[in-house]
Amino acid sequence: MTEFLLQEPELIVPTAPRRKSVELPNWFQSLNRPTTPTDLCILLSDSCGENIEDLLLAWSLNMVDRRGIRVMIVDDQRDPETCAEMLTQIFEDERRPDLAVGHFSSPVARRAAAVYAQYGIPYFAPGSSADDLAVDPKAPVFQMFGLDSGQISALCAPLMSATSAVVCGQPGNAGATLLRALCSAAPCPIAAFSHISEVQPSALSGQPLVLLGSKEYVAEALTQLDPVMVPSALYISDDSLGSRTVRQAAAQLGCPAFVTALQRDVANGFLLGTDVQTIERDAARVLGRTPGPYFLSAWAAIYLATSACRKGHLRPADMLRYLQSQAWHTPFGNLHFAATGQAKGFNWELKSLS
């Protein structure tokens, strides 16, 4: 069993981390002073990086009134088994949260969902695009993001006119799942790889390049490109949306560059009744950067989850009935929840990185 350390305020990290551990930003400490008494505990989880910062800020900007609510932050290390062991230990130590939000890596989200189901904890997934995450009506999973199948359709559209394409998918990550799905869709002949270092320069020049994986994976791949390896166009999966590092690296290629993103309805500037520009402006001021692709969906997930809890809907079945009681107005469209807990109404598009 993975051991963990408990630090104030409620940060749980493994004692033998496989990657850099989560550290709470100074602004989080100042925005989240302890309140007592507490009768509701919410678990927030992801691994070290910009995504956990966005999740913590979504919580901080959302919860102006924190009376009676405490938060537990768990570093899932972006590793399914480490995550499962830590969550199981938390439950066995009788430190049961009332609900959970996070786990943006799809392999981790799947494993975490199984643990939450075992203990009957409502789990909101605002960043996983796995098609198979919320498929069981009996599972307490509420998926608030677009699906891989829609992202693949967005990627296929420009590739259908290509003679061939080079596609790299990150191993052990949702990028590998997207790679398999894109190869199966076969919009054109595809040369598939796990790493950009495996690609011969002659195979890439003049052909579209598709990079599927985390923003760190994409940034590293772009820096490794040989100067003679100039693709006709660059297409990147959604985790890189808003990444300054990826945008700057892509600009060096001198070719059109696009990233998949959830389509936004320009006519709807409100997220569950709150002005989106205000939310994003406040987030950018605190972070010192543009928030990433999962910030708004995390904000919405936290809003809906805490709203349901405050109305007494703590059991997954009661929470689902509450979520199904109406359509929820967001910049991504009017969302409604299926019987499986999956939010319907998201659509994908390709956004220019220029």
Tab-separated table of all heavy atoms in Angstrom, residues 176-229:
chain	number	residue	atom	x	y	z
A	176	ALA	N	-2.346	7.753	-26.227
A	176	ALA	CA	-2.284	6.430	-26.848
A	176	ALA	C	-3.662	5.975	-27.292
A	176	ALA	O	-3.823	5.363	-28.360
A	176	ALA	CB	-1.671	5.431	-25.878
A	177	THR	N	-4.678	6.281	-26.473
A	177	THR	CA	-6.062	5.941	-26.841
A	177	THR	C	-6.501	6.713	-28.077
A	177	THR	O	-7.122	6.168	-28.996
A	177	THR	CB	-7.011	6.245	-25.671
A	177	THR	OG1	-6.598	5.515	-24.517
A	177	THR	CG2	-8.445	5.863	-26.023
A	178	LEU	N	-6.166	8.003	-28.113
A	178	LEU	CA	-6.513	8.816	-29.276
A	178	LEU	C	-5.786	8.329	-30.524
A	178	LEU	O	-6.356	8.333	-31.622
A	178	LEU	CB	-6.171	10.282	-29.008
A	178	LEU	CG	-7.054	11.020	-28.005
A	178	LEU	CD1	-6.460	12.388	-27.664
A	178	LEU	CD2	-8.474	11.180	-28.542
A	179	LEU	N	-4.542	7.906	-30.364
A	179	LEU	CA	-3.785	7.388	-31.509
A	179	LEU	C	-4.467	6.166	-32.098
A	179	LEU	O	-4.642	6.073	-33.323
A	179	LEU	CB	-2.363	7.050	-31.068
A	179	LEU	CG	-1.464	6.362	-32.110
A	179	LEU	CD1	-1.296	7.241	-33.344
A	179	LEU	CD2	-0.102	6.030	-31.497
A	180	ARG	N	-4.874	5.231	-31.243
A	180	ARG	CA	-5.563	4.032	-31.737
A	180	ARG	C	-6.873	4.394	-32.421
A	180	ARG	O	-7.209	3.842	-33.471
A	180	ARG	CB	-5.815	3.065	-30.580
A	180	ARG	CG	-4.553	2.398	-30.036
A	180	ARG	CD	-4.911	1.259	-29.101
A	180	ARG	NE	-5.591	1.723	-27.900
A	180	ARG	CZ	-4.983	2.091	-26.782
A	180	ARG	NH1	-3.650	2.058	-26.706
A	180	ARG	NH2	-5.684	2.485	-25.727
A	181	ALA	N	-7.602	5.334	-31.838
A	181	ALA	CA	-8.887	5.729	-32.415
A	181	ALA	C	-8.703	6.420	-33.761
A	181	ALA	O	-9.484	6.190	-34.701
A	181	ALA	CB	-9.633	6.641	-31.451
A	182	LEU	N	-7.672	7.259	-33.883
A	182	LEU	CA	-7.434	7.959	-35.141
A	182	LEU	C	-7.001	6.974	-36.226
A	182	LEU	O	-7.429	7.081	-37.380
A	182	LEU	CB	-6.387	9.048	-34.944
A	182	LEU	CG	-6.189	10.031	-36.105
A	182	LEU	CD1	-7.486	10.747	-36.440
A	182	LEU	CD2	-5.102	11.053	-35.756
A	183	CYS	N	-6.161	6.004	-35.856
A	183	CYS	CA	-5.750	4.984	-36.819
A	183	CYS	C	-6.943	4.153	-37.260
A	183	CYS	O	-7.051	3.762	-38.430
A	183	CYS	CB	-4.678	4.083	-36.214
A	183	CYS	SG	-3.070	4.874	-36.000
A	184	SER	N	-7.857	3.881	-36.342
A	184	SER	CA	-9.054	3.113	-36.677
A	184	SER	C	-9.973	3.899	-37.604
A	184	SER	O	-10.561	3.343	-38.533
A	184	SER	CB	-9.800	2.738	-35.398
A	184	SER	OG	-10.980	2.022	-35.681
A	185	ALA	N	-10.085	5.216	-37.356
A	185	ALA	CA	-10.929	6.055	-38.219
A	185	ALA	C	-10.325	6.176	-39.614
A	185	ALA	O	-11.048	6.308	-40.601
A	185	ALA	CB	-11.098	7.433	-37.599
A	186	ALA	N	-9.001	6.155	-39.705
A	186	ALA	CA	-8.259	6.152	-40.976
A	186	ALA	C	-8.749	7.210	-41.963
A	186	ALA	O	-9.174	6.883	-43.068
A	186	ALA	CB	-8.334	4.769	-41.607
A	187	PRO	N	-8.660	8.508	-41.600
A	187	PRO	CA	-9.057	9.544	-42.555
A	187	PRO	C	-8.102	9.622	-43.741
A	187	PRO	O	-8.457	10.164	-44.794
A	187	PRO	CB	-9.008	10.820	-41.717
A	187	PRO	CG	-7.994	10.513	-40.652
A	187	PRO	CD	-8.179	9.064	-40.337
A	188	CYS	N	-6.880	9.095	-43.577
A	188	CYS	CA	-5.873	9.013	-44.617
A	188	CYS	C	-4.848	7.976	-44.153
A	188	CYS	O	-4.905	7.530	-43.003
A	188	CYS	CB	-5.204	10.375	-44.849
A	188	CYS	SG	-4.201	10.942	-43.446
A	189	PRO	N	-3.926	7.560	-45.000
A	189	PRO	CA	-2.870	6.652	-44.534
A	189	PRO	C	-2.072	7.299	-43.398
A	189	PRO	O	-1.618	8.435	-43.512
A	189	PRO	CB	-2.005	6.446	-45.780
A	189	PRO	CG	-2.937	6.684	-46.926
A	189	PRO	CD	-3.863	7.774	-46.465
A	190	ILE	N	-1.906	6.570	-42.291
A	190	ILE	CA	-1.282	7.121	-41.094
A	190	ILE	C	-0.028	6.330	-40.724
A	190	ILE	O	-0.052	5.098	-40.673
A	190	ILE	CB	-2.270	7.106	-39.910
A	190	ILE	CG1	-3.358	8.160	-40.122
A	190	ILE	CG2	-1.544	7.366	-38.587
A	190	ILE	CD1	-4.446	8.148	-39.064
A	191	ALA	N	1.059	7.055	-40.467
A	191	ALA	CA	2.270	6.464	-39.901
A	191	ALA	C	2.255	6.782	-38.416
A	191	ALA	O	2.358	7.941	-38.019
A	191	ALA	CB	3.510	7.043	-40.568
A	192	ALA	N	2.077	5.752	-37.579
A	192	ALA	CA	1.867	5.941	-36.145
A	192	ALA	C	3.138	5.690	-35.351
A	192	ALA	O	3.863	4.717	-35.607
A	192	ALA	CB	0.750	5.019	-35.666
A	193	PHE	N	3.389	6.543	-34.359
A	193	PHE	CA	4.579	6.437	-33.516
A	193	PHE	C	4.229	6.809	-32.081
A	193	PHE	O	3.221	7.469	-31.824
A	193	PHE	CB	5.691	7.369	-34.021
A	193	PHE	CG	6.091	7.139	-35.446
A	193	PHE	CD1	5.487	7.855	-36.474
A	193	PHE	CD2	7.066	6.203	-35.775
A	193	PHE	CE1	5.846	7.647	-37.807
A	193	PHE	CE2	7.431	5.992	-37.096
A	193	PHE	CZ	6.822	6.712	-38.114
A	194	SER	N	5.097	6.379	-31.151
A	194	SER	CA	4.947	6.767	-29.754
A	194	SER	C	5.753	8.025	-29.433
A	194	SER	O	5.367	8.800	-28.557
A	194	SER	CB	5.393	5.628	-28.829
A	194	SER	OG	4.552	4.501	-28.968
A	195	HIS	N	6.857	8.216	-30.138
A	195	HIS	CA	7.728	9.356	-29.862
A	195	HIS	C	8.197	9.977	-31.173
A	195	HIS	O	8.428	9.275	-32.164
A	195	HIS	CB	8.942	8.928	-29.034
A	195	HIS	CG	8.579	8.280	-27.729
A	195	HIS	ND1	8.178	9.000	-26.636
A	195	HIS	CD2	8.548	6.964	-27.368
A	195	HIS	CE1	7.914	8.172	-25.642
A	195	HIS	NE2	8.137	6.936	-26.051
A	196	ILE	N	8.388	11.282	-31.165
A	196	ILE	CA	8.811	11.988	-32.369
A	196	ILE	C	10.202	11.536	-32.800
A	196	ILE	O	10.543	11.603	-33.998
A	196	ILE	CB	8.773	13.514	-32.134
A	196	ILE	CG1	8.811	14.272	-33.477
A	196	ILE	CG2	9.894	13.955	-31.215
A	196	ILE	CD1	7.564	14.123	-34.299
A	197	SER	N	11.020	11.047	-31.864
A	197	SER	CA	12.373	10.597	-32.199
A	197	SER	C	12.366	9.379	-33.115
A	197	SER	O	13.376	9.076	-33.753
A	197	SER	CB	13.153	10.273	-30.918
A	197	SER	OG	12.491	9.265	-30.166
A	198	GLU	N	11.231	8.687	-33.201
A	198	GLU	CA	11.116	7.506	-34.055
A	198	GLU	C	10.830	7.867	-35.512
A	198	GLU	O	10.907	7.015	-36.392
A	198	GLU	CB	9.999	6.597	-33.538
A	198	GLU	CG	10.180	6.131	-32.106
A	198	GLU	CD	8.927	5.488	-31.528
A	198	GLU	OE1	7.892	5.473	-32.235
A	198	GLU	OE2	8.978	5.031	-30.382
A	199	VAL	N	10.512	9.135	-35.777
A	199	VAL	CA	10.084	9.559	-37.108
A	199	VAL	C	11.294	9.957	-37.950
A	199	VAL	O	12.132	10.756	-37.529
A	199	VAL	CB	9.109	10.754	-37.007
A	199	VAL	CG1	8.632	11.172	-38.394
A	199	VAL	CG2	7.920	10.394	-36.111
A	200	GLN	N	11.380	9.396	-39.135
A	200	GLN	CA	12.424	9.781	-40.083
A	200	GLN	C	12.065	11.125	-40.717
A	200	GLN	O	10.907	11.367	-41.073
A	200	GLN	CB	12.568	8.720	-41.176
A	200	GLN	CG	13.037	7.375	-40.667
A	200	GLN	CD	14.430	7.444	-40.079
A	200	GLN	OE1	15.315	8.125	-40.613
A	200	GLN	NE2	14.639	6.737	-38.971
A	201	PRO	N	13.049	12.024	-40.872
A	201	PRO	CA	12.757	13.343	-41.451
A	201	PRO	C	12.023	13.270	-42.782
A	201	PRO	O	11.127	14.073	-43.047
A	201	PRO	CB	14.152	13.968	-41.607
A	201	PRO	CG	14.973	13.308	-40.545
A	201	PRO	CD	14.471	11.900	-40.463
A	202	SER	N	12.395	12.308	-43.618
A	202	SER	CA	11.767	12.206	-44.930
A	202	SER	C	10.291	11.837	-44.836
A	202	SER	O	9.503	12.142	-45.743
A	202	SER	CB	12.501	11.155	-45.774
A	202	SER	OG	12.479	9.889	-45.117
A	203	ALA	N	9.892	11.201	-43.723
A	203	ALA	CA	8.494	10.779	-43.574
A	203	ALA	C	7.585	11.933	-43.196
A	203	ALA	O	6.370	11.869	-43.397
A	203	ALA	CB	8.393	9.680	-42.519
A	204	LEU	N	8.167	12.999	-42.654
A	204	LEU	CA	7.346	14.087	-42.136
A	204	LEU	C	7.280	15.292	-43.056
A	204	LEU	O	6.228	15.938	-43.159
A	204	LEU	CB	7.889	14.527	-40.766
A	204	LEU	CG	7.144	15.680	-40.082
A	204	LEU	CD1	5.678	15.330	-39.897
A	204	LEU	CD2	7.796	15.993	-38.743
A	205	SER	N	8.358	15.609	-43.717
A	205	SER	CA	8.411	16.843	-44.498
A	205	SER	C	7.264	16.919	-45.503
A	205	SER	O	7.066	16.024	-46.314
A	205	SER	CB	9.751	16.926	-45.236
A	205	SER	OG	10.820	16.996	-44.313
A	206	GLY	N	6.507	17.999	-45.399
A	206	GLY	CA	5.400	18.225	-46.323
A	206	GLY	C	4.134	17.482	-45.974
A	206	GLY	O	3.130	17.589	-46.695
A	207	GLN	N	4.118	16.725	-44.869
A	207	GLN	CA	2.930	15.986	-44.442
A	207	GLN	C	2.398	16.577	-43.132
A	207	GLN	O	3.158	17.143	-42.344
A	207	GLN	CB	3.258	14.502	-44.227
A	207	GLN	CG	3.854	13.801	-45.430
A	207	GLN	CD	2.883	13.751	-46.591
A	207	GLN	OE1	1.670	13.720	-46.404
A	207	GLN	NE2	3.408	13.765	-47.807
A	208	PRO	N	1.101	16.434	-42.854
A	208	PRO	CA	0.590	16.918	-41.562
A	208	PRO	C	1.133	16.080	-40.410
A	208	PRO	O	1.326	14.870	-40.538
A	208	PRO	CB	-0.927	16.776	-41.697
A	208	PRO	CG	-1.152	15.848	-42.835
A	208	PRO	CD	0.026	15.949	-43.738
A	209	LEU	N	1.385	16.738	-39.280
A	209	LEU	CA	1.849	16.088	-38.063
A	209	LEU	C	0.777	16.238	-36.995
A	209	LEU	O	0.275	17.338	-36.763
A	209	LEU	CB	3.153	16.733	-37.577
A	209	LEU	CG	3.662	16.307	-36.193
A	209	LEU	CD1	4.003	14.825	-36.159
A	209	LEU	CD2	4.873	17.155	-35.792
A	210	VAL	N	0.445	15.136	-36.332
A	210	VAL	CA	-0.551	15.139	-35.259
A	210	VAL	C	0.134	14.670	-33.978
A	210	VAL	O	0.739	13.594	-33.956
A	210	VAL	CB	-1.747	14.222	-35.583
A	210	VAL	CG1	-2.804	14.317	-34.489
A	210	VAL	CG2	-2.348	14.567	-36.948
A	211	LEU	N	0.042	15.477	-32.912
A	211	LEU	CA	0.633	15.132	-31.626
A	211	LEU	C	-0.478	14.991	-30.587
A	211	LEU	O	-1.240	15.940	-30.355
A	211	LEU	CB	1.627	16.211	-31.185
A	211	LEU	CG	2.848	16.412	-32.094
A	211	LEU	CD1	3.696	17.576	-31.607
A	211	LEU	CD2	3.684	15.134	-32.176
A	212	LEU	N	-0.556	13.811	-29.985
A	212	LEU	CA	-1.643	13.479	-29.074
A	212	LEU	C	-1.072	13.130	-27.697
A	212	LEU	O	-0.347	12.144	-27.560
A	212	LEU	CB	-2.455	12.296	-29.617
A	212	LEU	CG	-2.946	12.434	-31.063
A	212	LEU	CD1	-3.530	11.123	-31.558
A	212	LEU	CD2	-3.971	13.559	-31.167
A	213	GLY	N	-1.371	13.933	-26.698
A	213	GLY	CA	-0.857	13.673	-25.364
A	213	GLY	C	-0.874	14.921	-24.517
A	213	GLY	O	-1.526	15.919	-24.848
A	214	SER	N	-0.148	14.884	-23.416
A	214	SER	CA	-0.111	16.018	-22.502
A	214	SER	C	0.637	17.195	-23.119
A	214	SER	O	1.404	17.041	-24.070
A	214	SER	CB	0.580	15.619	-21.195
A	214	SER	OG	1.963	15.383	-21.428
A	215	LYS	N	0.434	18.367	-22.547
A	215	LYS	CA	1.132	19.559	-23.035
A	215	LYS	C	2.643	19.412	-22.896
A	215	LYS	O	3.404	19.902	-23.724
A	215	LYS	CB	0.624	20.803	-22.293
A	215	LYS	CG	0.800	20.775	-20.792
A	215	LYS	CD	0.311	22.062	-20.134
A	215	LYS	CE	-1.183	22.229	-20.211
A	215	LYS	NZ	-1.927	21.259	-19.382
A	216	GLU	N	3.094	18.693	-21.853
A	216	GLU	CA	4.521	18.462	-21.672
A	216	GLU	C	5.077	17.561	-22.785
A	216	GLU	O	6.167	17.797	-23.310
A	216	GLU	CB	4.782	17.827	-20.304
A	216	GLU	CG	4.413	18.699	-19.118
A	216	GLU	CD	2.954	18.582	-18.696
A	216	GLU	OE1	2.194	17.833	-19.355
A	216	GLU	OE2	2.567	19.240	-17.724
A	217	TYR	N	4.310	16.547	-23.134
A	217	TYR	CA	4.701	15.633	-24.210
A	217	TYR	C	4.796	16.374	-25.534
A	217	TYR	O	5.759	16.204	-26.297
A	217	TYR	CB	3.681	14.503	-24.297
A	217	TYR	CG	3.797	13.591	-25.497
A	217	TYR	CD1	4.679	12.505	-25.495
A	217	TYR	CD2	3.010	13.787	-26.629
A	217	TYR	CE1	4.774	11.648	-26.577
A	217	TYR	CE2	3.093	12.938	-27.728
A	217	TYR	CZ	3.967	11.875	-27.695
A	217	TYR	OH	4.062	11.020	-28.781
A	218	VAL	N	3.811	17.210	-25.809
A	218	VAL	CA	3.783	17.956	-27.065
A	218	VAL	C	4.932	18.951	-27.135
A	218	VAL	O	5.632	19.058	-28.156
A	218	VAL	CB	2.427	18.672	-27.234
A	218	VAL	CG1	2.469	19.639	-28.422
A	218	VAL	CG2	1.302	17.659	-27.415
A	219	ALA	N	5.160	19.682	-26.041
A	219	ALA	CA	6.245	20.671	-26.025
A	219	ALA	C	7.594	20.004	-26.250
A	219	ALA	O	8.433	20.509	-27.015
A	219	ALA	CB	6.243	21.429	-24.699
A	220	GLU	N	7.814	18.861	-25.618
A	220	GLU	CA	9.079	18.146	-25.790
A	220	GLU	C	9.233	17.663	-27.226
A	220	GLU	O	10.324	17.748	-27.807
A	220	GLU	CB	9.148	16.962	-24.830
A	220	GLU	CG	10.461	16.198	-24.901
A	220	GLU	CD	10.529	15.051	-23.912
A	220	GLU	OE1	9.556	14.850	-23.155
A	220	GLU	OE2	11.565	14.352	-23.895
A	221	ALA	N	8.148	17.158	-27.810
A	221	ALA	CA	8.207	16.679	-29.189
A	221	ALA	C	8.566	17.806	-30.150
A	221	ALA	O	9.377	17.631	-31.074
A	221	ALA	CB	6.874	16.046	-29.581
A	222	LEU	N	7.977	18.965	-29.944
A	222	LEU	CA	8.233	20.091	-30.839
A	222	LEU	C	9.679	20.573	-30.742
A	222	LEU	O	10.272	20.985	-31.741
A	222	LEU	CB	7.268	21.233	-30.522
A	222	LEU	CG	5.795	20.969	-30.862
A	222	LEU	CD1	4.918	22.127	-30.408
A	222	LEU	CD2	5.616	20.724	-32.358
A	223	THR	N	10.249	20.516	-29.546
A	223	THR	CA	11.643	20.946	-29.393
A	223	THR	C	12.616	19.935	-29.994
A	223	THR	O	13.756	20.282	-30.305
A	223	THR	CB	11.994	21.153	-27.908
A	223	THR	OG1	11.783	19.932	-27.186
A	223	THR	CG2	11.137	22.247	-27.302
A	224	GLN	N	12.177	18.697	-30.176
A	224	GLN	CA	13.034	17.658	-30.727
A	224	GLN	C	12.984	17.570	-32.247
A	224	GLN	O	13.764	16.829	-32.851
A	224	GLN	CB	12.651	16.289	-30.143
A	224	GLN	CG	12.981	16.136	-28.667
A	224	GLN	CD	12.559	14.780	-28.129
A	224	GLN	OE1	11.961	13.972	-28.822
A	224	GLN	NE2	12.889	14.517	-26.870
A	225	LEU	N	12.078	18.300	-32.855
A	225	LEU	CA	11.952	18.245	-34.311
A	225	LEU	C	13.218	18.751	-34.987
A	225	LEU	O	13.739	19.816	-34.655
A	225	LEU	CB	10.757	19.078	-34.775
A	225	LEU	CG	9.376	18.420	-34.715
A	225	LEU	CD1	8.311	19.412	-35.137
A	225	LEU	CD2	9.324	17.182	-35.603
A	226	ASP	N	13.700	17.991	-35.955
A	226	ASP	CA	14.839	18.409	-36.766
A	226	ASP	C	14.406	19.603	-37.618
A	226	ASP	O	13.277	19.649	-38.127
A	226	ASP	CB	15.289	17.246	-37.661
A	226	ASP	CG	16.592	17.533	-38.372
A	226	ASP	OD1	16.604	18.399	-39.268
A	226	ASP	OD2	17.584	16.870	-38.031
A	227	PRO	N	15.272	20.610	-37.804
A	227	PRO	CA	14.899	21.786	-38.605
A	227	PRO	C	14.406	21.448	-40.008
A	227	PRO	O	13.639	22.224	-40.591
A	227	PRO	CB	16.202	22.601	-38.661
A	227	PRO	CG	16.944	22.199	-37.428
A	227	PRO	CD	16.620	20.751	-37.217
A	228	VAL	N	14.839	20.315	-40.547
A	228	VAL	CA	14.383	19.963	-41.891
A	228	VAL	C	13.022	19.268	-41.857
A	228	VAL	O	12.422	19.030	-42.913
A	228	VAL	CB	15.403	19.041	-42.594
A	228	VAL	CG1	16.754	19.717	-42.696
A	228	VAL	CG2	15.523	17.692	-41.893
A	229	MET	N	12.533	18.947	-40.654
A	229	MET	CA	11.250	18.260	-40.528
A	229	MET	C	10.138	19.295	-40.392
A	229	MET	O	9.667	19.603	-39.299
A	229	MET	CB	11.266	17.317	-39.327
A	229	MET	CG	12.326	16.224	-39.413
A	229	MET	SD	12.561	15.292	-37.881
A	229	MET	CE	11.048	14.355	-37.781
